[in-house]
């Protein structure tokens, strides 16, 4: 390859798109490093504090797409206090000052302001795609800037963000001449929507493929929208209060029948039980069905819908479907690859909607299943062993037994053997979440068998530091480890400091780690930011007597090449 | 039926070495262990996103209902001897109920809050036998306690 001109090498590199592969390419030799740098189009930064914008621009001057992730994963569950960090503003400012022709920005768990969105919309002429996932800090005014100024916008995809809805006219800010919309997802907006502006926008968007509405879009508007956009592939229904036999309902049914390209259905944020039947005609083509917000619809209606969905590949559903419903899924959805079953009863009141039986049925019926997230009230080792035998192809296995420390409900034993069977059988397992009563033994199994594991979530598990040590020593590919309410302490934390070079981050909260231990780690590992998050005391920890032995409530450490961050709030102490 | 309880009544050896973290709770608590009130308020378990948590909180409590369970109640209009029967489970909330009733009885009917001389008011008899104004309690709670409905003349309330 050294005898080829750079342009040829670069052309070859164009076919290599995965970040990991491109990172590998850049390590081969100086010449490849240089060619790869200038030709990298998509940059992925898994932790926005691992690097800064200036160094990013120095390494990759010509990228078009940037993905940035901010807060740690447990922030999704209220474990990271408000104001912790993950601000996108400095990034957008730096990119705006540079000559980067940014076209796509994907942010996850970051703080985005209206100011940021305004700056973004004005700085990049060819900006095409904005995807915000689990972000916060902005309002519909920011969306109005994007709509007004981004002439070539294709995608505006807002997934599960906290957006201050000023009930303004952001939808009417898209210019009349603007017709390039492909994706519009505003399902997470809570306020009223200008339906007229929305309908006009959809009507002048012939390329629209994905439309996800919020709860303020009622049935009759949905009917009109679908009639304007029969080419739709991905639909998120907003509100669907049932008015059987009404004119709107009939119009909707007619419109739905014309949507022959529809492959993906979600939403039903406010839906009466009988509404799903209108969608039966298109079910046979659906590959993705997300009913995880359809809390009003009971099991039997869900089942009747799913019976028609023979081509389903991804299903996200609430546990109101029940074990019986999962048996229907198992016998109907032979193409199923990913299943997520979310809980409806958060109080643990004994509503055993789905049990180990449902999980076993799915594993037996769906040969292509590789990803599962399953919330349930009870589990047994026997069931997990059966699941492992049925499905050795799991890449992601996340089981959440709602009651912490709950043992096998038949034998009263810990669930070590069950999870052990999973990691032993599933040789490609990359992501695992464990729950229920677990001793150090399960971690011995994980360390021994889960050789490909990259992300592990532990809650209320283990006995001693040995548990965590098994994992740190055994899982060579571990990147993200997050632990809460487990008895792991300084010994495990400090055993192998170099482990944190190959890992992106470690989160430990309500464990046995002490301030002294964290300080020792920070000293030994200057390439790490060791953050102590202490929202209640505001650093009074320093003044207390038993400082070294004081337990740390929340610790988040991550590798970085740019040292301590400067935007940390007072309750975050970076050692 | 498994009821989530604290360590004191757990049959399994508690392996957690820091008991101070968890309060010994001898009451039959339906929240999760580490039953300190702080943790219950923190809303950090189970690990679901805030949006789903909010959706589930607002969810109507139709947990034990089968599809075939309906909720037919008698509806009388004051001054009219013959009543009607209505399946309350087909309605999504007070608004759709009122709309339907107004249509059925060909008059305008409202809930208690905005009374005036022109509109009839909807009342219901609950499981205790008392007659109450419709609309004060959450819809799902109403479904659990309603026994019959009456559309009354405005002066009565």
């Amino acid at each position: 390859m050294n005898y080829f001109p750079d342009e040829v090498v670069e052309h070859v590199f164009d076919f290599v798109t995965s970040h990991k592969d491109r990172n590998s390419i850049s390590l081969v030799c100086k010449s490849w490093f240089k060619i790869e740098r200038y030709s990298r189009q998509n940059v992925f930064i898994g932790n926005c504090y691992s690097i800064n914008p200036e160094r990013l621009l120095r390494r990759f001057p010509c990228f078009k797409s940037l993905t940035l992730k901010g807060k740690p994963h447990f922030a999704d569950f209220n474990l990271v206090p408000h104001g912790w960090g993950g601000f996108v503003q400095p990034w957008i400012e730096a990119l705006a000052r540079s000559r980067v022709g940014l076209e796509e920005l994907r942010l996850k768990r970051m703080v985005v302001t209206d100011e940021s969105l305004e700056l973004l919309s004005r700085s990049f002429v060819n900006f095409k795609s904005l995807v915000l996932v689990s972000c916060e800090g902005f309002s519909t005014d920011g969306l109005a800037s994007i709509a007004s100024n981004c002439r070539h916008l294709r995608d505006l995809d807002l997934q599960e963000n906290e957006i201050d809805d000023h009930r303004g006219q952001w939808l009417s800010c898209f210019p009349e001449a603007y017709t390039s919309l492909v994706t519009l997802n505003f399902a997470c907006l809570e306020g009223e929507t200008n339906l007229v502006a929305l309908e006009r926008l959809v009507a002048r968007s012939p390329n629209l493929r994905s439309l996800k509405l919020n709860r303020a879009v009622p049935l009759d508007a949905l009917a009109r929208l679908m009639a304007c956009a029969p080419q739709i592939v991905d639909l998120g229904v907003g509100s669907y209060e049932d008015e059987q036999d009404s004119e709107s309902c009939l119009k909707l049914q007619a419109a739905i029948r014309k949507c022959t390209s529809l492959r993906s259905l979600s939403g039903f944020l406010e839906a009466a039980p009988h509404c799903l039947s209108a969608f039966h005609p298109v079910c046979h083509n659906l590959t993705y069905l997300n009913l995880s917000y359809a809390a009003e619809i009971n099991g039997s209606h869900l089942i009747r819908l799913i019976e028609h969905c023979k081509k389903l590949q991804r299903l996200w559903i609430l546990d109101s479907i029940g074990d019986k419903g999962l048996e229907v899924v198992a016998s109907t959805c032979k193409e199923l690859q990913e299943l997520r079953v979310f809980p409806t009863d958060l109080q643990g009141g004994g509503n055993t909607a789905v049990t180990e039986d449902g999980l076993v049925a799915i594993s037996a019926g769906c040969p292509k299943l590789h990803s599962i997230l399953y919330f349930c009230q009870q589990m047994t080792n026997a069931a997990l062993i059966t699941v492992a035998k049925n499905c050795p192809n799991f890449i992601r296995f996340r089981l959440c037994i709602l009651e912490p420390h709950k043992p096998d409900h038949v034998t009263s034993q810990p669930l070590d053997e069950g999870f052990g069977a999973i990691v032993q059988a599933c040789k490609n397992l990359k992501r695992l979440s464990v729950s229920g009563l677990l001793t150090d033994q399960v971690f011995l199994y994980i360390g021994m068998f889960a050789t490909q594991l990259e992300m592990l979530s532990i809650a209320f598990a283990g006995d001693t530091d040995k548990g965590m040590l098994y994992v740190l020593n055994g899982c060579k590919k571990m990147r993200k480890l997050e632990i809460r309410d487990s008895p792991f302490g300084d010994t495990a934390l400090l055993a192998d400091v170099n482990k944190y070079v190959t890992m992106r981050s470690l989160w430990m909260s309500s464990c046995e780690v002490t301030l002294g231990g964290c300080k020792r780690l920070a000293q030994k590992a200057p390439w790490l930011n060791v953050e102590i998050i202490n929202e209640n005391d505001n650093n009074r920890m320093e003044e207390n007597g038993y400082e070294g032995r004081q337990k740390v409530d929340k610790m988040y450490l991550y590798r970085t090449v740019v040292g301590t961050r400067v935007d940390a709030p007072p309750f975050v102490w970076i050692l | 039926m498994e009821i989530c309880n604290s360590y004191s009544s757990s049959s399994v050896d508690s392996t957690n070495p820091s008991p101070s973290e968890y309060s010994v709770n001898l009451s039959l608590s339906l929240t999760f262990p580490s039953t300190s009130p702080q943790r219950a308020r923190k809303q950090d378990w189970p690990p679901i996103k805030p949006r789903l948590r909010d959706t589930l909180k607002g969810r109507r409590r139709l947990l034990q209902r089968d599809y075939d369970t309906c909720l037919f109640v008698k509806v009388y209009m004051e001054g009219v001897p013959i009543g009607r029967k209505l399946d309350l489970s087909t309605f999504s909330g007070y608004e759709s109920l009122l709309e339907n009733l107004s249509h059925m009885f060909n008059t305008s009917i409202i809930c208690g809050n905005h009374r005036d001389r022109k509109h009839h008011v909807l009342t219901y008899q609950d499981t205790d036998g008392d007659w109450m104004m419709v609309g004060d309690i959450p819809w799902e709670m109403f479904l659990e306690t309603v026994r019959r409905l009456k559309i009354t003349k405005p002066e009565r309330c």
Side-chain angles (χ1 to χ4, degrees):
Chain A
M1 285 277 273
N2 282 339
Y3 304 111
F4 292 158
D6 287 358
E7 305 83 64
V8 175
V9 177
E10 188 182 315
H11 185 65
V12 173
F13 288 175
D14 280 348
F15 294 98
V16 181
T17 48
S18 112
H19 309 290
K20 287 184 185 166
D21 290 343
R22 288 200 76 112
N23 291 343
S24 304
I25 286 178
S26 62
L27 292 174
V28 168
C29 63
K30 274 199 190 140
S31 148
W32 281 28
F33 180 86
K34 183 173 154 221
I35 298 170
E36 198 283 316
R37 270 182 70 207
Y38 282 100
S39 62
R40 178 133 10 167
Q41 299 280 289
N42 309 309
V43 176
F44 171 84
I45 297 176
N47 174 5
C48 65
Y49 290 119
S50 61
I51 193 166
N52 63 25
E54 289 72 37
R55 288 193 56 161
L56 164 67
L57 287 163
R58 242 182 291 150
R59 169 87 191 262
F60 299 118
C62 308
F63 66 90
K64 299 236 177 320
S65 162
L66 177 63
T67 302
L68 272 175
K69 295 189 182 181
K71 301 180 206 169
H73 175 237
F74 273 175
D76 280 350
F77 315 130
N78 292 330
L79 281 168
V80 176
H82 185 76
W84 171 85
F87 309 105
V88 80
Q89 181 69 7
W91 292 86
I92 298 185
E93 278 172 5
L95 293 178
R97 278 194 300 265
S98 76
R99 278 168 301 163
V100 158
L102 192 68
E103 292 184 10
E104 178 180 80
L105 185 62
R106 309 170 72 95
L107 304 177
K108 188 167 187 178
R109 284 187 220 106
M110 294 201 69
V111 176
V112 180
T113 59
D114 288 343
E115 191 195 342
S116 309
L117 291 175
E118 163 93 27
L119 183 59
L120 177 69
S121 72
R122 291 194 184 285
S123 310
F124 307 105
V125 175
N126 285 323
F127 192 73
K128 294 196 172 69
S129 178
L130 182 63
V131 180
L132 302 178
V133 180
S134 301
C135 296
E136 43 143 354
F138 60 106
S139 76
T140 45
D141 295 348
L143 300 180
S145 312
I146 297 287
S148 309
N149 303 327
C150 299
R151 302 275 132 166
H152 298 111
L153 193 72
R154 261 183 350 214
D155 309 311
L156 181 58
D157 189 356
L158 309 169
Q159 299 175 28
E160 298 181 322
N161 302 288
E162 294 295 325
I163 306 175
D164 196 6
D165 196 332
H166 292 164
R167 298 191 177 91
Q169 299 302 310
W170 69 278
L171 274 170
S172 42
C173 291
F174 285 102
E176 280 304 314
Y178 168 74
T179 58
S180 45
L181 198 61
V182 174
T183 302
L184 180 64
N185 173 4
F186 61 96
C188 58
L189 282 178
E190 292 293 332
E192 282 156 34
T193 295
N194 181 339
L195 295 174
V196 172
L198 175 62
E199 285 170 38
R200 288 172 66 168
L201 178 62
V202 169
R204 67 177 188 278
S205 302
N207 298 322
L208 191 68
R209 292 284 169 274
S210 172
L211 178 64
K212 293 185 182 165
L213 309 167
N214 74 345
R215 62 178 72 238
V217 180
L219 190 64
D220 54 329
L222 177 65
R224 288 194 296 274
L225 287 166
M226 290 186 76
C228 287
Q231 77 280 9
I232 206 110
V233 173
D234 177 13
L235 176 70
V237 173
S239 153
Y240 194 147
E241 295 290 346
D242 182 43
E243 287 159 66
Q244 277 173 323
D245 303 327
S246 74
E247 202 187 314
S248 300
C249 205
L250 292 171
K251 278 199 189 138
L252 178 65
Q253 286 172 5
I256 289 172
R257 259 176 253 123
K258 293 214 179 84
C259 293
T260 52
S261 303
L262 195 61
R263 295 289 172 273
S264 171
L265 191 58
S266 61
F268 297 95
L269 308 171
E270 269 176 33
H274 310 286
C275 67
L276 290 183
S277 51
F279 289 92
H280 288 182
V282 287
C283 282
H284 61 278
N285 280 328
L286 288 182
T287 56
Y288 175 38
L289 183 59
N290 181 353
L291 296 174
S292 56
Y293 288 104
E296 317 295 347
I297 303 177
N298 72 15
S300 52
H301 291 109
L302 294 174
I303 292 172
R304 236 176 284 146
L305 182 80
I306 286 171
E307 275 168 351
H308 294 87
C309 299
K310 298 200 192 311
K311 289 200 194 147
L312 215 54
Q313 293 172 13
R314 294 166 65 202
L315 176 62
W316 294 23
I317 199 130
L318 292 170
D319 66 5
S320 42
I321 195 175
D323 280 343
K324 286 271 168 286
L326 290 177
E327 281 164 33
V328 173
V329 173
S331 58
T332 309
C333 308
K334 295 305 184 186
E335 302 295 313
L336 197 68
Q337 298 174 22
E338 177 186 323
L339 175 68
R340 297 194 190 191
V341 180
F342 294 96
T344 49
D345 184 3
L346 305 183
Q347 297 301 313
N351 168 30
T352 51
V354 298
T355 69
E356 68 273 21
D357 294 337
L359 184 61
V360 169
I362 292 286
S363 72
C366 303
K368 299 190 181 176
L369 192 67
H370 59 60
S371 293
I372 190 155
L373 168 61
Y374 198 78
F375 285 84
C376 58
Q377 299 272 1
Q378 61 187 52
M379 189 49 58
T380 63
N381 282 311
L384 286 174
I385 291 168
T386 306
V387 168
K389 229 183 301 198
N390 291 339
C391 278
N393 297 321
F394 275 123
I395 300 174
R396 291 170 212 100
F397 187 85
R398 294 193 277 166
L399 178 66
C400 182
I401 300 165
L402 291 166
E403 183 186 330
H405 302 282
K406 186 157 181 181
D408 178 321
H409 76 94
V410 170
T411 65
S412 296
Q413 291 299 300
L415 290 170
D416 301 335
E417 297 307 311
F419 280 105
I422 295 283
V423 293
Q424 200 170 352
C426 303
K427 310 225 184 295
N428 294 322
L429 196 67
K430 288 200 177 139
R431 184 168 182 184
L432 177 65
S433 295
V434 296
S435 58
L437 182 67
L438 296 166
T439 70
D440 287 345
Q441 184 71 11
V442 72
F443 299 112
L444 174 67
Y445 291 143
I446 292 174
M448 231 192 314
F449 296 115
T451 52
Q452 303 301 310
L453 197 64
E454 296 179 7
M455 183 169 178
L456 178 60
S457 306
I458 302 171
F460 304 100
D463 301 321
T464 72
D465 280 14
K466 276 205 226 139
M468 187 169 161
L469 281 168
Y470 290 140
V471 170
L472 289 175
N473 292 335
C475 301
K476 301 294 178 206
K477 297 211 176 169
M478 185 63 66
R479 289 189 302 116
K480 290 182 278 184
L481 182 55
E482 47 185 25
I483 307 173
R484 60 167 291 181
D485 295 275
S486 301
F488 306 134
D490 296 340
T491 310
L493 181 69
L494 291 162
D496 179 10
V497 159
N498 288 319
K499 180 70 181 171
Y500 307 125
V501 176
T502 56
M503 282 174 60
R504 184 192 295 174
S505 64
L506 169 65
W507 168 282
M508 293 180 76
S509 60
S510 305
C511 297
E512 300 291 316
V513 167
T514 70
L515 181 56
C518 292
K519 279 188 171 174
R520 277 201 306 283
L521 176 60
Q523 245 176 341
K524 284 192 187 181
W527 65 83
L528 288 180
N529 275 353
V530 180
E531 297 194 3
I532 310 295
I533 300 167
N534 209 6
E535 60 197 301
N536 293 319
D537 291 340
N538 271 327
N539 290 337
R540 276 210 308 274
M541 286 186 94
E542 287 179 73
E543 294 144 31
N544 290 341
Y546 295 95
E547 171 193 282
R549 273 164 281 170
Q550 190 167 0
K551 277 196 226 146
V552 158
D553 190 35
K554 292 174 182 166
M555 180 208 72
Y556 178 53
L557 63 82
Y558 50 90
R559 64 185 178 191
T560 177
V561 294
V562 291
T564 306
R565 61 183 173 111
V566 296
D567 60 3
F571 58 80
V572 172
W573 184 15
I574 305 181
L575 298 172
Chain B
M1 180 168 92
E2 297 283 348
I3 295 182
C4 173
N5 217 321
S6 67
Y7 300 103
S8 56
S9 52
S10 169
S11 58
V12 185
D13 190 26
S14 173
T15 50
N16 195 312
S18 58
S20 55
E21 174 107 308
Y22 307 100
S23 50
V24 173
N25 188 346
L26 295 174
S27 65
L28 217 59
S29 161
L30 291 183
T31 55
F32 292 101
S34 234
T35 50
S36 60
Q38 290 89 356
R39 197 166 285 288
R41 269 203 300 272
K42 273 185 200 168
Q43 301 193 78
D44 56 25
W45 188 265
I48 57 174
K49 292 189 183 169
R51 198 154 281 272
L52 177 59
R53 195 179 292 275
D54 291 342
T55 302
L56 293 176
K57 273 197 219 147
R59 181 182 180 237
R60 296 158 208 172
R61 301 227 146 259
L62 298 177
L63 284 172
Q64 264 74 45
R65 298 186 101 95
D66 284 335
Y67 167 66
D68 289 319
T69 302
C70 41
L71 192 58
F72 277 101
V73 295
K74 293 181 188 170
V75 189
Y76 284 91
M77 167 98 126
E78 191 164 346
V80 179
I82 308 293
R84 303 289 302 267
K85 255 203 157 166
L86 206 60
D87 181 2
L88 292 183
S89 68
T90 62
F91 299 111
S92 51
Y94 288 122
E95 263 173 47
S96 55
L97 170 63
L98 284 174
E99 214 179 285
N100 204 288
L101 280 177
S102 300
H103 200 253
M104 202 185 242
F105 288 88
N106 205 18
T107 181
S108 70
I109 304 169
I110 49 157
C111 272
N113 291 331
H114 315 286
R115 297 200 285 282
D116 65 18
R117 300 249 149 241
K118 282 181 267 181
H119 304 286
H120 284 83
V121 177
L122 186 60
T123 63
Y124 72 102
Q125 188 181 40
D126 67 10
T127 44
D128 292 335
D130 302 320
W131 285 96
M132 315 287 289
M133 199 91 81
V134 164
D136 289 333
I137 55 175
W139 174 253
E140 55 272 29
M141 209 185 282
F142 170 71
L143 289 181
E144 280 166 16
T145 61
V146 64
R147 287 296 161 259
R148 46 168 58 185
L149 294 170
K150 184 150 79 177
I151 303 165
T152 54
K153 297 203 180 104
E155 309 85 88
R156 288 293 201 126
C157 310

